[in-house]
């Protein structure tokens, strides 16, 4: 659906456009500005300021005859079934014209405009590694303002759970490798929580991982619904085709209640072994939230970027330049290889064949992947020019290390041969590992991820912890960080 209705200025009948920066309607002819409330009052002459400023909590609710959950008028208009128990609500929900979109209880206006999107997107590109130069130059696709329909659920959760928790602490090893101390505990806790306005997207065209990555949306800034908030934006309202939002919300509430009972923030890992929870859905509302959307077509493939129109939080993925990535890998290999070659044969003066081979092996195994973790080094490959200069400098450094070492009279030819062979073998192994680590770190923070908790929607004043008992099962020190939470002692 398009919010393309034209609104006329009450003073001169010129076209009004909603100015995001001013949060007002601005006449394109006389430049007079109106708040949405002032405009509606001027047009209708009947709505009072008190009624126009009422918030979403003042919406009227109807109790579902099947589950008892209170359903707002907007949610009734949005669905013929209860959003919680999915039973039909024909008696409480009169038929409506299916060609018209259901009007929400309230709406969150756009607080950020197109310029904010472009600024945040350019910042995002600068923060990502190995983005192709051509993508950066051509990533200027038209922006689309979207209003995404959401169900907002209020629910209480109470009960008890038995769980295990693990605290993993790194212990430095001085010159040698460090170790990890694992403390595994077992606990039991009981309590209750209340969750307010937990969002679940009603738009079937957007994956939950995308909408959850854009959270939070702050409903305290919500306004009574009015189409004037879309004046001049040419905003699209996504189709309300997803009716299973409460399953998503219920799963997130359960995960957050697990964290609340187990005090998950105190530990590295928790695992709930058994639980007895009682959940009461109390209220559901229907709202539209603002999202900016851009789709870039680059080399025949679409790349989609979304931004929360209220907070500026972005999600989406950007492409990776294979040339920059392989230049980075080659630079790692040349730098670590030349430095290791010089350290083993000149600095340490190893002449024993076994020691030379072991030194070259250790250098290729640890130094190359270690350098892959430093984001500051990857910034040297932000553009093709910088990547070429960096690769050239590193190549000169490696050549100097190799040539300087071979010119030393005390370095044996056999040692040089052994070191070179081991380095070539280790390079074949470590280069793909380094590239994989770099690529993983590049994408890990840019891809949309489904959030399994909704802690920020819990009402702190209604958090009650009835009991909590924790005992230590065992302590163990190992050389690995792998979890021991399932081990028995």
């Amino acid at each position: 659906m398009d919010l393309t209705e034209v609104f006329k200025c009450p003073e001169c009948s010129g076209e009004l456009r909603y100015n995001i920066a001013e949060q007002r309607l601005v006449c394109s002819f006389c430049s007079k500005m109106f708040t949405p409330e002032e405009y509606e009052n001027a047009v209708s002459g009947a709505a009072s300021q008190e009624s126009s400023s009422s918030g979403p909590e003042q919406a009227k609710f109807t109790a579902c005859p099947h589950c008892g959950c209170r359903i707002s008028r907007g949610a009734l208009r949005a669905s013929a079934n209860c959003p919680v128990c999915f039973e039909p609500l024909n008696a409480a929900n009169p038929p409506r014209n299916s060609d018209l979109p259901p009007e929400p209880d309230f709406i969150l206006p756009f607080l950020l405009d197109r310029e904010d999107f472009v600024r945040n997107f350019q910042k995002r590109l600068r923060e990502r590694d190995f983005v192709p130069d051509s993508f950066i130059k051509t990533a200027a696709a038209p922006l689309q303002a979207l209003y995404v329909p959401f169900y907002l659920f209020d629910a209480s959760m109470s009960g008890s759970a038995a769980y295990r928790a693990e605290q993993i602490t790194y212990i430095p090893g001085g010159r040698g490798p460090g170790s990890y101390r694992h403390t595994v505990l077992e606990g039991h806790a009981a309590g209750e929580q209340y969750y307010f306005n937990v969002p679940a997207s009603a738009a079937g065209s957007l994956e939950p991982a995308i909408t959850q990555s854009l959270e939070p949306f702050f409903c305290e800034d919500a306004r009574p619904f009015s189409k004037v908030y879309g004046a001049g934006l040419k905003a699209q309202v996504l189709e309300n085709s997803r009716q299973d939002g409460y399953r998503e919300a219920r799963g997130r509430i359960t995960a957050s209640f697990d964290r609340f009972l187990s005090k998950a923030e105190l530990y590295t890992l928790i695992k709930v072994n058994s639980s007895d929870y009682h959940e009461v859905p109390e209220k559901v509302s229907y709202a539209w939230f603002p999202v900016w959307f851009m789709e870039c077509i680059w080399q025949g493939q679409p790349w989609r970027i979304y931004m929360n129109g209220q907070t500026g939080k972005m999600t989406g993925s950007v492409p990776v330049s294979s040339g920059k990535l392989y230049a980075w890998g080659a630079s790692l290999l040349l730098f670590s290889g030349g430095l290791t070659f010089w350290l083993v044969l000149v600095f340490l003066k190893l002449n024993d064949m076994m020691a030379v081979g072991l030194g070259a092996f250790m250098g290729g195994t640890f130094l190359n992947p270690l350098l892959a973790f430093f984001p500051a080094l990857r910034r040297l490959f932000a553009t093709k020019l910088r990547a070429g200069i960096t690769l050239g400098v590193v190549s000169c450094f490696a050549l100097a290390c190799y040539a300087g070492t071979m010119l030393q009279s005390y370095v044996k030819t056999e040692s040089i041969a052994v070191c070179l062979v081991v380095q070539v073998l280790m390079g074949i192994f470590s280069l793909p590992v380094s590239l994989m680590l770099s690529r993983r770190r590049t994408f890990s923070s840019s891809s949309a991820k489904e959030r399994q908790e909704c802690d920020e929607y819990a009402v702190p004043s209604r958090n009650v912890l009835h009991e909590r008992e924790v005992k230590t099962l065992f302590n163990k020190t190992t050389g690995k960080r792998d979890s021991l939470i399932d081990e028995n002692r």
Side-chain angles (χ1 to χ4, degrees):
M1 166 201 150
D2 293 329
L3 287 181
T4 55
E5 183 176 342
V6 178
F7 297 89
K8 299 295 185 179
C9 174
E11 302 291 333
C12 68
S13 297
E15 182 179 354
L16 291 174
R17 295 178 178 272
Y18 186 71
N19 187 296
I20 295 176
E22 296 288 343
Q23 292 292 291
R24 293 171 181 265
L25 291 163
V26 180
C27 178
S28 58
F29 185 76
C30 69
S31 300
K32 190 173 180 61
M33 294 191 295
F34 306 86
T35 66
E37 293 82 4
E38 291 171 343
Y39 172 78
E40 291 183 344
N41 289 342
V43 171
S44 65
S48 66
Q49 183 66 23
E50 179 181 356
S51 63
S52 64
S53 61
S54 61
E57 286 306 298
Q58 296 173 318
K60 302 295 184 181
F61 292 89
T62 300
C64 172
H66 304 283
C67 68
C69 179
R70 292 185 298 150
I71 307 171
S72 70
R73 287 180 176 178
L76 285 173
R77 287 191 293 264
S79 174
N81 297 326
C82 173
V84 174
C85 66
F86 310 108
E87 293 294 336
L89 294 171
N90 294 330
N93 189 19
R96 61 177 176 85
N97 187 345
S98 59
D99 295 332
L100 298 177
E103 292 185 354
D105 300 302
F106 61 94
I107 187 171
L108 283 179
F110 280 89
L111 297 181
L112 302 175
D113 55 21
R114 287 175 166 82
E115 289 72 21
D116 295 307
F117 182 98
V118 173
R119 184 163 50 251
N120 286 358
F121 183 56
Q122 292 300 324
K123 179 182 177 182
R124 182 182 184 85
L125 292 180
R126 290 193 297 269
E127 292 174 349
R128 297 293 174 260
D129 301 317
F130 316 123
V131 180
D133 289 2
S134 57
F135 179 82
I136 296 175
K137 295 176 182 178
T138 59
L143 299 182
Q144 177 65 62
L146 302 178
Y147 273 114
V148 181
F150 277 83
Y151 287 112
L152 302 177
F153 297 96
D154 292 4
S156 60
M157 179 81 79
S158 60
S160 60
Y163 62 91
R164 277 193 175 188
E166 182 178 12
Q167 180 65 51
I168 304 175
T169 306
Y170 176 71
I171 304 174
R175 293 186 177 181
S179 58
Y180 295 90
R181 181 174 179 81
H182 301 257
T183 301
V184 177
L185 308 97
E186 190 172 59
H188 178 273
E192 59 184 88
Q193 271 192 314
Y194 184 80
Y195 293 87
F196 178 68
N197 280 344
V198 178
S201 171
S205 57
L206 283 183
E207 294 293 329
I210 294 175
T211 56
Q212 291 176 20
S213 296
L214 294 173
E215 293 179 19
F217 293 92
F218 298 105
C219 294
E220 54 266 27
D221 296 329
R223 310 286 178 82
F225 174 72
S226 174
K227 292 183 179 180
V228 300
Y229 290 106
L233 287 179
K234 298 182 180 179
Q236 293 275 336
V237 180
L238 296 187
E239 181 184 0
N240 176 13
S241 59
R242 187 167 178 260
Q243 303 298 326
D244 60 346
Y246 186 64
R247 294 191 182 97
E248 172 193 330
R250 181 172 54 195
R252 298 178 67 194
I253 290 173
T254 302
S256 287
F257 195 57
D258 289 343
R259 291 172 51 82
F260 169 69
L261 292 182
S262 62
K263 296 288 185 182
E265 67 275 7
L266 302 177
Y267 308 107
T268 308
L269 182 67
I270 65 164
K271 180 181 179 181
V272 176
N273 295 320
S274 62
S275 61
D276 182 16
Y277 294 162
H278 178 60
E279 174 200 5
V280 179
E282 298 192 5
K283 189 175 66 175
V284 56
S285 304
Y286 183 63
W288 288 355
F289 289 167
V291 173
W292 285 107
F293 168 68
M294 180 178 73
E295 182 179 66
C296 300
I297 305 298
W298 185 76
Q299 294 188 352
Q301 182 176 354
W303 299 88
R304 298 178 178 90
I305 305 293
Y306 300 86
M307 187 183 84
N308 183 320
Q310 184 189 35
T311 65
K313 188 176 181 182
M314 303 190 81
T315 189
S317 297
V318 294
V320 169
S321 168
S322 299
K324 292 180 181 179
L325 188 63
Y326 287 117
W328 159 251
S331 298
L332 287 180
L333 193 61
L334 289 170
F335 180 83
S336 61
L339 183 60
T340 302
F341 194 76
W342 179 84
L343 287 174
V344 170
L345 299 179
V346 176
F347 184 75
L348 298 177
K349 296 183 179 180
L350 300 179
N351 282 315
D352 180 78
M353 296 299 103
M354 183 65 70
V356 169
L358 182 61
F361 175 81
M362 296 295 288
T365 302
F366 294 104
L367 185 58
N368 198 354
L370 180 64
L371 292 174
F373 277 96
F374 288 93
L377 297 178
R378 296 197 296 272
R379 296 291 184 269
L380 297 173
F381 296 81
T383 65
K384 284 185 178 180
L385 179 61
R386 287 166 63 178
I389 294 175
T390 302
L391 182 58
V393 171
V394 171
S395 299
C396 292
F397 170 80
L399 181 62
C401 289
Y402 283 113
T405 302
M406 293 179 183
L407 292 176
Q408 301 296 325
S409 58
Y410 56 83
V411 177
K412 295 181 180 180
T413 305
E414 294 83 356
S415 299
I416 294 175
V418 170
C419 194
L420 287 175
V421 170
V422 173
Q423 282 195 346
V424 170
L425 295 177
M426 290 310 303
I428 295 173
F429 167 76
S430 63
L431 182 58
V433 174
S434 300
L435 293 178
M436 180 186 68
L437 291 173
S438 301
R439 193 177 184 92
R440 180 181 177 183
R441 290 177 67 85
T442 298
F443 280 122
S444 61
S445 58
S446 62
S447 58
K449 297 181 179 179
E450 190 164 350
R451 304 172 65 203
Q452 295 300 323
E453 72 284 332
C454 53
D455 300 351
E456 64 267 34
Y457 302 108
V459 181
S461 61
R462 298 182 64 174
N463 291 349
V464 180
L465 191 62
H466 297 303
E467 61 173 307
R468 184 170 181 263
E469 298 178 358
V470 181
K471 64 178 181 180
T472 301
L473 289 182
F474 62 87
N475 292 290
K476 184 177 181 180
T477 302
T478 67
K480 297 182 179 180
R481 199 179 183 277
D482 298 343
S483 173
L484 305 179
I485 200 169
D486 290 324
E487 286 195 9
N488 295 316
R489 288 291 187 274

